[in-house]
Amino acid sequence: MLSHVTTPQDLDDRFRETLAALPAAVRRRDPADPVSDDAPLTGAQVLDLFDAQVTSRQLDLAGRWLRGFGEGFYTIGSAGHEGNAAVAAALRPTDPALLHYRSGAFYCVRAAQAAADSAATVGSAATADPKQSGPVPSGPVPSGPVPSGPVPSGPVPSGSVPSGSVPSGSVPSGSVPSGSVPSGSVLTGSVLSGSVPADFERSESRPTDREARGRESTSAEWRGRESAGTEWRDRESAGTEWRDRESAGTERPDRESTSAKRPDLERPDSEATDPESTGREATERDPAGSASAVGGFAAYEDAARDVLRGMVASSQEPIAGGRHKVFGRADLAIVPTTSTIASHLPRAVGMGLAVERLRRLDSVGRRTGAGVRVGGGAGPASVPWPPDAIVVCSFGDASVNHATATAAFNTAGWYDHAGLRIPVLFVCEDNGLGISVRSPEGWVEATLRAKPGIRYFSADGADPVQTYAVAAEAAAWVRRNRRPAVLHLRTVRLMGHAGADAESAYRSTAELAEELDRDPVAATARLLVDAGVATGEELLARYDETGWQVRRLAEEVLGEPKLASAADVVSALAPRRPVRVARAVADAAARASGPGAGARVEAFGGKPPELAGPMSLAQSINAALADGMLDHPQMAIFGEDVAAKGGVYGVTKGLRDRFGAARVFDTLLDETSVLGLGLGAGLAGMLPVPEIQYLAYLHNAEDQLRGEAATMQFFSRGAFRNPMVVRVAGLAYQEGFGGHFHNDNSVAVLRDVPGLVVAVPARPDDAAPMLRTCLASAAVDGSVCVFVEPIALYHTRDLYAEGDGEWLAAYPEPGAWVSGHVPIGRARVYRVGSADDLTIITFGNGVRMSLRAAAVLAEEGVGIRVVDLRWLAPLPVADIIRESSATGRVLVVDETRRSGGVGEGVIAALVDAGYVGAARRVAGVDSFVPLGPAARHVLVSAEAITDGARTLLAR
């Protein structure tokens, strides 16, 4: 039976054989009783888990089937990892979760939790007489809403482990008292009301006609074994699994066909089946209430439809809308993650830090509970999770070795060691493989146990009772102590990494057979049968009925629309609402000059910055940050050396003293963690302003911006946002402090990230309004902004001659903020002389050098207009075209590099617009910046600009 890879047929065959061979228990057990004498779960609760696991398994099989005829686009499944259903059951539906791509069963349970929790809340509100008890909600969830008050006591380890210590072994399955369920956890078994055998005492159960039909139906429809020429899998033709075919898998189904038109979709009993039929209706047709009824699947139907929509890239998929197949939904508190590695772990740490910080922030107007506005400024609308929530983050064993995982564990442990609280439960699902690369025996456990400050728990994912008990204990420990822990869940991987994975290249037949023996769904079935909760035949009937229902849903979503245009695809990428942003700036100005005027004067020590005289670039940014902190109570500034030292260049000097260590704080030296903290904080309702000390250091952590920050709104259609303004000291021309690390002039990677806002202020009178715009855009639109501050201009005072003070500027009073507002994507134009002869387009240090060159050329009678781009992404294309067309000669001054530099984008914009005038570039050499005077040979100079202008004018 077993082929060289674990195919869907192998898995299905083995599962059926296993269930058929299970001997019925001597005595049926009441499903309301514990499934075993010392188990924390009842038989009904385990049956709920079984239904979730089966739904996930059938979704995996559906993914292979859909891919077989070109209608499915994702085959990475959860087979072998279905033990995570018990992890979900041990958590609350309000605990935010970041899930890896083998989390199908977890997702099913969470969806059922949230649905039943909502139903319980509605039912409670609808009950006029508080003495009357309403109907028990269906779904594996608590009978009422999760309280938002103090952390419940819940089950805890007997013999608590001292702070910071690591348990010596796994938690036994009996560590939670028999029949007890932690407060706020999920399973009640109510999904089974009306669907478990009424005569559970019978020693022998004979399947009903409907059970037999369901079993035959799924076998015939998913596998096509009832009719010749419709084999479930053509073993001679790879990649055509689960495709009904008349020839060797070459036909595609008629997209217009319906279930009624296709004989392979008709149930053998010829029952008329409405595509919208529910599990409840199926149960009503089975008055005997046998264990084969579909009541269990009804709780997971919405989740199954979500997953199938993701597989077929349906635009109706609830989170990404056809942009990717992810596990995520805002109402389920599941944050979508698209990475195949561990890049979401730093975000989880940031979320944990933010959840704990916001829990303590009532003093600034934040009350607990979702939907409550944070503070009084223009900021994220609500804090999405209860104050005692914990963050859950799952990942695979191979990801333990990735730098981002190391960064996340280290940061969580570092903060724990420092006394700060990070309520994060990491869940490592260990199947022993990273595609084909094996994790050395014992390596994952040794690695996880060795993480300082992180409590270690472990469980066997094939044992639902033990997994639930340990997960409940781990969650209770994190919730009570507000400290990080890791649950090491041992799993297997069935059906390979994905549909195209040829396991025969790296796994033996014997190993594959051994993995099948550890199938967690079969293990749950075995537990139920041994306990006398159900028979193997009954469970197989549930399996088949779920398979048929999943197939029905798959046929439904096949006809749903796909994203139809580029505009549809990018609509969720980075919304821009400039009018609202401008209004937010105006509102901030009104608060600063009105009700907040007194606090503002006090914060600035009695002397507001507009009274302090002309300021440098660094001083202007400092003042704007202070004004931002006053207007956004949820704003926090953090990074390396930003607090006590006030930044390497003094830009954040004094801010910690004004606003406290909770809002201005130093981080450990790791850019990945700095950005991860910002990502998590923004997602949790804060307005983070992290600092990267030098542009060169950002390259260590670019994927946190590209793969995590910029994708969040894109893959959630705006349901989740991570507003953030990243301050970066960058660009070249530092005097006396050289080398490529402190003079990095590479911004290409930032401009290549879709939706990212990249700002480069050159002058102090631009820096403050641009920073206000970035903060408002982050708060209003959830924008991710990178604010690149030219280091060499931080303390520059003069422009043309020493002592002229032309590079200083007064800080505007709040009343002038509206008139001085700088929208994203708008340039600034300086006119020198007639301004009719030449247009210089530049940014950053290039602005000062170009103005100096323009002064020299003006003495020669040449009129220059200097265009300061100010925004490198999005480029101010309209301004570029207008100012270039005004002179017909364009000199692009690009202080970055000739290859991949900003100048390429400017020239491309001109070409795309049909510009027909003359154009020339002056750009940095394609080189790293060397130390000392040698830097002058590779960087742009004012003299090079002057020479380039003269050459262009001579044409």
Side-chain angles (χ1 to χ4, degrees):
M1 178 203 70
L2 194 67
S3 64
H4 291 296
V5 293
T6 310
T7 67
Q9 183 167 340
D10 295 332
L11 195 56
D12 184 77
D13 283 343
R14 178 64 70 91
F15 184 77
R16 290 174 179 282
E17 290 175 2
T18 299
L19 264 62
L22 293 176
V26 174
R27 179 178 177 275
R28 296 299 291 260
R29 183 186 297 262
D30 185 342
D33 290 340
V35 72
S36 63
D37 293 341
D38 60 349
L41 296 174
T42 66
Q45 291 166 344
V46 175
L47 195 55
D48 279 350
L49 291 180
F50 176 79
D51 287 332
Q53 292 177 327
V54 164
T55 302
S56 178
R57 177 64 56 83
Q58 294 286 7
L59 287 169
D60 287 350
L61 300 179
R64 303 299 179 99
W65 172 70
L66 289 165
R67 184 71 185 95
F69 54 90
E71 292 289 354
F73 309 100
Y74 198 90
T75 56
I76 298 178
S78 305
H81 285 245
E82 291 92 351
N84 56 37
V87 177
L91 298 165
R92 296 179 182 173
T94 51
D95 289 330
L98 298 93
L99 305 178
H100 73 140
Y101 48 42
R102 301 197 190 279
S103 301
F106 187 112
Y107 186 80
C108 288
V109 170
R110 176 60 66 90
Q113 288 178 324
D117 196 41
S118 175
T121 302
V122 171
S124 176
T127 303
D129 185 353
K131 296 180 180 180
Q132 294 179 350
S133 58
V136 178
S138 62
V141 295
S143 57
V146 177
S148 59
V151 180
S153 56
V156 298
S158 56
S160 58
V161 180
S163 174
S165 64
V166 178
S168 59
S170 304
V171 180
S173 60
S175 60
V176 178
S178 172
S180 68
V181 178
S183 175
S185 62
V186 181
L187 296 172
T188 64
S190 55
V191 157
L192 303 178
S193 58
S195 65
V196 294
D199 54 342
F200 60 84
E201 291 291 344
R202 63 185 178 183
S203 59
E204 181 179 349
S205 176
R206 182 173 176 269
T208 65
D209 289 341
R210 177 178 175 80
E211 290 171 346
R213 288 198 303 270
R215 203 162 49 243
E216 293 167 359
S217 167
T218 301
S219 179
E221 291 157 6
W222 282 111
R223 308 178 64 185
R225 290 184 172 181
E226 295 294 330
S227 57
T230 57
E231 286 190 355
W232 176 50
R233 183 181 191 280
D234 182 2
R235 292 178 183 259
E236 302 299 321
S237 174
T240 57
E241 300 97 338
W242 285 35
R243 171 70 179 108
D244 297 325
R245 60 180 73 77
E246 294 181 2
S247 57
T250 58
E251 286 192 358
R252 292 165 60 95
D254 181 357
R255 288 292 304 274
E256 301 301 321
S257 66
T258 63
S259 302
K261 295 177 181 178
R262 294 182 57 177
D264 60 313
L265 291 181
E266 294 178 3
R267 306 179 76 157
D269 56 5
S270 300
E271 290 184 48
T273 305
D274 188 327
E276 299 300 322
S277 64
T278 64
R280 187 193 66 256
E281 293 169 338
T283 302
E284 290 171 353
R285 291 196 300 268
D286 187 14
S290 71
S292 68
V294 75
F297 178 75
Y300 308 116
E301 181 170 355
D302 286 345
R305 184 180 288 106
D306 291 348
V307 174
L308 289 166
R309 282 173 165 165
M311 290 176 179
V312 302
S314 166
S315 62
Q316 296 182 27
E317 193 272 333
I319 188 70
R323 292 166 183 83
H324 196 36
K325 191 275 181 187
V326 294
F327 290 114
R329 251 177 59 188
D331 61 324
L332 304 185
I334 298 179
V335 180
T337 64
T338 62
S339 175
T340 58
I341 50 170
S343 63
H344 57 297
L345 269 67
R347 181 198 295 276
V349 176
M351 289 170 64
L353 184 67
V355 164
E356 188 61 15
R357 177 188 179 276
L358 292 172
R359 191 169 75 97
R360 304 167 184 267
L361 266 187
D362 284 353
S363 60
V364 296
R366 175 190 180 266
R367 302 305 300 174
T368 59
V372 182
R373 175 162 292 279
V374 183
S382 65
V383 177
W385 306 299
D388 62 345
I390 67 173
V391 179
V392 184
C393 180
S394 65
F395 56 98
D397 55 290
S399 295
V400 166
N401 307 298
H402 201 273
T404 49
T406 299
F409 291 134
N410 185 68
T411 302
W414 190 86
Y415 276 116
D416 185 78
H417 188 78
L420 297 178
R421 295 302 177 227
I422 307 285
V424 177
L425 177 61
F426 298 104
V427 181
C428 177
E429 298 188 16
D430 181 3
N431 62 30
L433 288 164
I435 303 184
S436 67
V437 180
R438 300 174 189 272
S439 295
E441 185 67 30
W443 169 252
V444 175
E445 178 176 351
T447 299
L448 295 177
R449 281 185 178 276
K451 301 298 182 186
I454 299 178
R455 178 78 174 268
Y456 177 86
F457 297 85
S458 67
D460 180 1
D463 183 341
V465 172
Q466 187 201 50
T467 297
Y468 177 82
V470 176
E473 181 183 3
W477 189 89
V478 174
R479 200 179 309 277
R480 182 178 65 253
N481 294 288
R482 319 303 294 169
R483 297 178 62 191
V486 61
L487 169 59
H488 182 194
L489 189 66
R490 292 172 175 82
T491 66
V492 295
R493 190 187 74 189
L494 304 176
M495 293 198 296
H497 174 72
D501 182 25
E503 290 186 286
S504 58
Y506 56 90
R507 305 186 82 182
S508 67
T509 301
E511 181 183 357
L512 294 174
E514 183 179 347
E515 295 280 86
L516 283 170
D517 288 339
R518 296 187 59 222
D519 181 351
V521 186
T524 304
R526 190 176 296 111
L527 172 65
L528 289 166
V529 173
D530 290 347
V533 176
T535 67
E537 287 183 331
E538 291 168 346
L539 296 180
L540 186 55
R542 294 178 86 92
Y543 173 79
D544 282 335
E545 181 66 27
T546 297
W548 189 90
Q549 295 287 352
V550 169
R551 173 68 175 267
R552 173 181 61 82
L553 293 178
E555 288 291 328
E556 287 180 23
V557 302
L558 276 177
E560 293 181 349
K562 307 291 192 293
L563 294 169
S565 67
D568 287 345
V569 173
V570 302
S571 61
L573 177 61
R576 298 274 183 265
R577 294 178 291 184
V579 174
R580 294 193 183 186
V581 171
R583 186 184 306 140
V585 172
D587 291 344
R591 287 188 290 268
S593 59
R600 184 169 181 266
V601 171
E602 182 180 355
F604 282 105
K607 189 176 183 180
E610 57 266 27
L611 303 179
M615 290 185 169
S616 66
L617 180 70
Q619 291 169 326
S620 181
I621 294 172
N622 178 279
L625 287 171
D627 271 324
M629 294 285 279
L630 288 166
D631 193 59
H632 300 275
Q634 74 276 27
M635 176 175 158
I637 297 170
F638 52 90
E640 301 160 20
D641 302 306
V642 303
K645 184 179 176 65
V648 173
Y649 296 95
V651 180
T652 56
K653 185 177 181 180
L655 295 180
R656 187 185 69 166
D657 294 338
R658 293 181 197 175
F659 300 102
R663 299 187 65 196
V664 183
F665 56 91
D666 291 321
T667 65
L668 71 175
L669 195 154
D670 175 51
E671 287 72 27
T672 294
S673 295
V674 171
L675 293 179
L677 291 175
L679 291 169
L683 201 64
M686 294 174 62
L687 182 57
V689 184
E691 179 187 288
I692 301 297
Q693 200 165 88
Y694 289 100
L695 179 58
Y697 300 163
L698 178 65
H699 305 311
N700 302 328
E702 286 160 356
D703 189 56
Q704 291 295 296
L705 288 177
R706 184 197 65 82
E708 293 294 318
T711 62
M712 180 52 68
Q713 295 204 79
F714 183 72
F715 288 124
S716 71
R717 294 193 291 179
F720 291 101
R721 317 183 315 168
N722 37 232
M724 185 164 64
V725 179
V726 184
R727 294 181 45 251
V728 184
L731 304 178
Y733 301 99
Q734 281 198 85
E735 295 292 337
F737 193 28
H740 72 287
F741 269 117
H742 304 103
N743 278 288
D744 184 51
N745 60 347
S746 176
V747 298
V749 70
L750 296 175
R751 295 192 63 247
D752 184 56
V753 178
L756 198 68
V757 174
V758 181
V760 181
R763 289 181 54 87
D765 47 345
D766 278 333
M770 288 174 69
L771 183 55
R772 271 191 290 275
T773 297
C774 287
L775 291 172
S777 181
V780 170
D781 290 331
S783 301
V784 181
C785 305
V786 178
F787 201 74
V788 181
E789 302 164 4
I791 298 172
L793 300 178
Y794 267 148
H795 305 297
T796 296
R797 303 176 64 85
D798 309 319
L799 174 56
Y800 301 114
E802 186 175 351
D804 66 14
E806 291 289 333
W807 208 254
L808 301 176
Y811 189 85
E813 63 179 356
W817 290 2
V818 174
S819 61
H821 173 57
V822 178
I824 291 174
R826 290 300 306 273
R828 177 175 181 175
V829 182
Y830 301 84
R831 289 175 170 81
V832 181
S834 67
D836 292 334
D837 300 312
L838 177 68
T839 300
I840 299 177
I841 300 177
T842 187
F843 63 95
N845 293 286
V847 177
R848 184 169 181 268
M849 291 186 291
S850 295
L851 288 173
R852 291 166 68 94
V856 172
L857 292 168
E859 294 177 356
E860 301 173 7
V862 179
I864 307 289
R865 55 185 66 201
V866 176
V867 179
D868 179 4
L869 295 171
R870 298 194 293 196
W871 307 93
L872 304 188
L875 281 172
V877 174
D879 296 330
I880 290 171
I881 303 305
R882 184 188 64 251
E883 298 302 324
S884 299
S885 300
T887 65
R889 296 184 182 90
V890 176
L891 181 67
V892 180
V893 176
D894 182 1
E895 68 172 288
T896 62
R897 299 169 188 172
R898 181 164 292 275
S899 298
V902 177
E904 289 183 341
V906 174
I907 297 296
L910 289 170
V911 172
D912 289 345
Y915 172 75
V916 294
R920 182 181 176 85
R921 280 194 296 161
V922 177
V925 175
D926 290 342
S927 169
F928 298 107
V929 180
L931 190 65
R936 299 169 188 165
H937 300 305
V938 299
L939 298 175
V940 173
S941 65
E943 292 75 19
I945 298 171
T946 304
D947 292 342
R950 289 173 178 150
T951 300
L952 190 58
L953 289 165
R955 290 184 177 179

